[in-house]
Structures are given as structure tokens and as C-alpha cells.
Amino acid sequence: MSVGDPETVTDQSTRPGATPQPAPTPVSPAMYKRLTTGIGGFSMAMLACLAMVGVIVLITPSSDKETLPTVDYAPHTRVLLIAAPYTSYVPSGLPARWRPTSSRVTGERGKEPIAWHLGFVTPTDEYAALEQSDERPDVFIGRMTNRNQRVGTQQIAGASWDRYFREDKRQRSLARRLPDVTLVVTGTASYEELAVLAGSLRPQKASPTPRPTST
């Protein structure tokens, strides 16, 4: 190599007539550090995060069971006081592991029966529901139990309940006919658990209508 211009360095090995190639742009040490150390550091951080996620996935227990939300059915008990033309029955004193998962009131007073559905997950992870309505008892019981013939009776808290069973659905039911309402406790729970729900039912007394004050 020879020095021609003080500001220029040429390479004598370039063949005659060849187009001179531009010299590469120098990279400062700071830029080099950002292009290498920065990307490498970012990559290592990402790999560490992925490894942590993998460990969490491995140690977290998995379950195929769907977790149903817990509902507050107190508002529907107040609706029944106003809408239902009968004395409604509400669970009272159920053990803490009875978890309410569904509640709905259907019907319109004076036009169709008023019904209340209240579903629970039991302590053994089975299903149990309270159904009550002023619909015609035979029709209501047949529809709620999927059976027309009872298979026996069961005494619960001094009251007699009729037993129903549908084998293909694993459905057990207890039914009680009262003068103005029919109660059905049904589900995949055992008769023992259904009896706990049936035995917890208490009549809900409507609040007395306040008398108008005289002026």
C-alpha cells in the first residue's frame, strides 16, 4: 500500500480499470455495543421470561371441570314477595359448601304461573336445584322430575316428600305438594343431599302492606 494524498489511503492491489469500491463506514464502539450487547441482552431476557412461563404452566394444576360462578339469589326472593301469589320457600342455614350457581324467576302474575329456579353445586360436586311454582302440581312435577310415577316417600323435617328417579339421567327428585305451591328438589345429588336442601326450606312471609295514614 502507498500513501498518495495525505487524506486518502489507496490499495495498489486494485486491478487497472476496476471500479474503486467505497470504503466501509466505520462503526463507533458505542454503536457496536448497542447492536450486539443490546440485542443479545433483549434475547436473553425474552428466553428467561419464556422459561418462567413454562415452569408456571408445568407446576399449575390443570382441571377439566368448568367452574361456575356463584350468584346472589336474595334479589329474587324479594321479587317473589311481590310477584308470587303463594307463600314462597327459601333455603335457610345451608352449609357453607353449598354454592348457588343459578337463579331465575319466570312467569307473570295473573297470566301464567310464577316459578322460581335455584341451582346449587353440592359439597360432593353434584347438582341440586330447588324448583317451585303455582303451576298445576301434576304437570309441574312431571316436567321437573321427568317422571310421572313416584318410587317411594321420604320423611324430611316432619314432612312427607315423594321420591322420583330417572336412571338414564341420574336424576333424583323429591316433591312436595302444598295448598298454593308445589316444591321440587331435583338433580344428580344423592337423596341424602337433596334432603339437606329440602329440609332447609322455610316459608318466606310477605311484608305486610302498610296502611294509609289518615290526615
Side-chain angles (χ1 to χ4, degrees):
M1 301 183 63
S2 63
V3 178
D5 189 284
E7 302 296 330
T8 306
V9 177
T10 61
D11 187 353
Q12 289 184 338
S13 64
T14 303
R15 291 177 294 176
T19 303
Q21 299 296 321
T25 303
V27 178
S28 66
M31 178 66 72
Y32 180 80
K33 185 176 181 180
R34 286 198 297 268
L35 292 175
T36 56
T37 306
I39 294 175
F42 175 77
S43 300
M44 291 299 294
M46 287 296 295
L47 289 174
C49 290
L50 291 175
M52 291 181 63
V53 170
V55 171
I56 293 172
V57 170
L58 288 175
I59 66 176
T60 301
S62 60
S63 175
D64 295 332
K65 292 185 178 180
E66 180 182 2
T67 302
L68 298 175
T70 299
V71 301
D72 178 14
Y73 58 86
H76 284 162
T77 66
R78 293 190 288 269
V79 169
L80 289 171
L81 287 174
I82 301 171
Y86 53 80
T87 300
S88 56
Y89 283 73
V90 178
S92 176
L94 277 175
R97 291 185 62 193
W98 282 75
R99 190 163 58 87
T101 57
S102 59
S103 178
R104 61 180 176 270
V105 176
T106 58
E108 185 176 354
R109 187 167 186 168
K111 294 184 178 180
E112 56 185 341
I114 303 293
W116 183 32
H117 158 86
L118 177 60
F120 289 90
V121 173
T122 73
T124 60
D125 286 332
E126 295 292 345
Y127 179 71
L130 165 65
E131 312 284 354
Q132 60 183 281
S133 174
D134 58 340
E135 187 177 358
R136 201 173 72 192
D138 291 340
V139 175
F140 183 67
I141 291 175
R143 188 157 52 82
M144 293 297 105
T145 65
N146 289 296
R147 274 289 179 261
N148 293 322
Q149 296 294 327
R150 66 181 186 178
V151 296
T153 59
Q154 185 170 340
Q155 295 296 313
I156 303 171
S160 180
W161 292 70
D162 293 329
R163 274 189 176 188
Y164 295 82
F165 180 61
R166 180 163 177 172
E167 185 175 2
D168 61 333
K169 290 182 176 289
R170 293 181 57 243
Q171 181 183 4
R172 300 170 185 85
S173 304
L174 298 169
R176 184 184 179 194
R177 304 171 188 232
L178 294 170
D180 57 349
V181 66
T182 302
L183 306 177
V184 176
V185 178
T186 185
T188 59
S190 65
Y191 283 117
E192 288 74 19
E193 283 192 315
L194 294 180
V196 171
L197 178 55
S200 74
L201 300 180
R202 299 290 183 270
Q204 181 181 228
K205 297 180 179 180
S207 302
T209 303
R211 296 179 180 177
T213 57
S214 58
T215 57

